[in-house]
């Protein structure tokens, strides 16, 4: 479910909180299990963080770069995730993980399924900030047809139920300038990982 502009009014505050997170757990380009460096830079906040390296994808209670716990989820992040889920019909959503993706021009996320979480009953809440992007929304199989959906600053997508395991991705980011983020797009994805 697409909530257009749901957090546009608080985008600047969310980005300020993000600066605090990234000061403790800096953005990094993770390596896929196949040995490729991801074009999207990532970090996490919350009890659990999504990580990728040569041995696979998983959730970790610590940041492999520092060995320390991930920064706590800022209050405003948690409140937004809960309110958006509620609006979409998922009451009581309490995320334990927030994956933060940073795109610079040309960065993309290939088609994938989110299946590293333990409970597919919980939704994922996805927040777009800064430059707009094209979200690719496929089917249950990698080769199913793909719909293209524009996501812009302040848009929130709540993704649950039957859509939970559909293939999706992000097209290479088109260069541009956004007043809040410059030449970047930021995505926050809130999950119940454990
Ligand atoms: C992004 N998002 O928007 C990447 N996954 O940058 C995702 O991969 C994603 O937006 C699951 C649910 C919502 C998402
Ligand atoms: Fe995903």
């Amino acid at each position: 479910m697409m909530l257009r502009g749901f957090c546009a009014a608080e985008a600047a505050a969310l980005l300020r909180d993000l600066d605090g997170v990234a000061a403790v757990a800096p953005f990094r380009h993770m390596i896929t299990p196949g040995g490729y460096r991801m074009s999207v830079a990532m970090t996490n906040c919350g009890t659990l963080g999504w990580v990728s390296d040569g041995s696979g994808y998983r959730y970790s209670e610590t940041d492999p770069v520092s060995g320390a716990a991930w920064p706590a989820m800022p209050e405003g992040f948690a409140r937004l995730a809960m309110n958006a889920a509620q609006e979409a019909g998922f009451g009581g959503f309490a995320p334990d993980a927030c994956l933060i993706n940073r795109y610079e021009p040309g960065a993309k996320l290939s088609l994938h399924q989110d299946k590293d979480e333990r409970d597919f009953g919980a939704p994922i809440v996805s927040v777009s900030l800064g430059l707009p992007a094209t979200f690719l929304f496929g089917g249950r199989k990698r080769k199913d047809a793909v719909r293209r959906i524009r996501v812009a600053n302040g848009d929130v997508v709540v993704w649950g139920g039957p859509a939970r395991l559909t293939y999706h991705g992000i097209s290479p980011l088109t260069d541009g300038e956004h007043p809040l983020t410059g030449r970047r797009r930021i995505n926050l994805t809130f999950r119940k990982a454990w």
Side-chain angles (χ1 to χ4, degrees):
M1 174 180 209
M2 166 67 88
L3 304 170
R4 288 264 177 226
F6 189 77
C7 68
E10 57 191 294
L14 294 166
L15 289 163
R16 267 196 306 278
D17 283 345
L18 171 58
D19 286 340
V21 168
V24 176
F27 282 99
R28 78 291 307 264
H29 294 271
M30 296 187 192
I31 305 298
T32 67
Y36 293 96
R37 173 186 187 268
M38 298 182 77
S39 61
V40 178
M42 299 179 173
T43 186
N44 292 276
C45 62
T47 311
L48 294 165
W50 185 88
V51 297
S52 176
D53 60 21
S55 60
Y57 306 127
R58 64 193 172 279
Y59 283 93
S60 168
E61 291 171 291
T62 53
D63 178 349
V65 171
S66 65
W70 297 102
M73 201 180 294
E75 174 61 31
F77 280 29
R79 197 172 49 236
L80 167 59
M82 210 169 170
N83 289 342
Q86 174 94 322
E87 185 76 16
F90 296 93
F93 179 54
D96 54 15
C98 175
L99 170 64
I100 304 163
N101 296 314
R102 187 184 71 193
Y103 297 75
E104 298 191 336
K108 66 179 173 75
L109 198 59
S110 303
L111 282 183
H112 66 279
Q113 293 173 296
D114 286 18
K115 53 181 187 188
D116 302 318
E117 299 75 28
R118 290 183 184 167
D119 176 8
F120 297 142
I124 295 179
V125 172
S126 170
V127 174
S128 292
L129 298 168
L131 285 180
T134 302
F135 193 82
L136 306 172
F137 191 80
R140 292 297 210 105
K141 290 184 245 139
R142 189 180 289 279
K143 55 186 194 170
D144 288 348
V146 166
R147 282 193 295 148
R148 301 164 69 85
I149 300 167
R150 187 106 169 136
V151 286
N153 182 62
D155 290 348
V156 179
V157 179
V158 182
W159 165 295
R164 185 65 182 70
L165 287 174
T166 54
Y167 277 91
H168 59 281
I170 295 281
S171 291
L173 190 74
T174 300
D175 201 355
E177 184 72 29
H178 190 278
L180 295 176
T181 59
R183 300 173 66 198
R184 289 171 171 168
R185 169 178 184 261
I186 299 287
N187 166 258
L188 314 174
T189 49
F190 297 92
R191 298 116 188 271
K192 179 93 180 76
W194 290 2

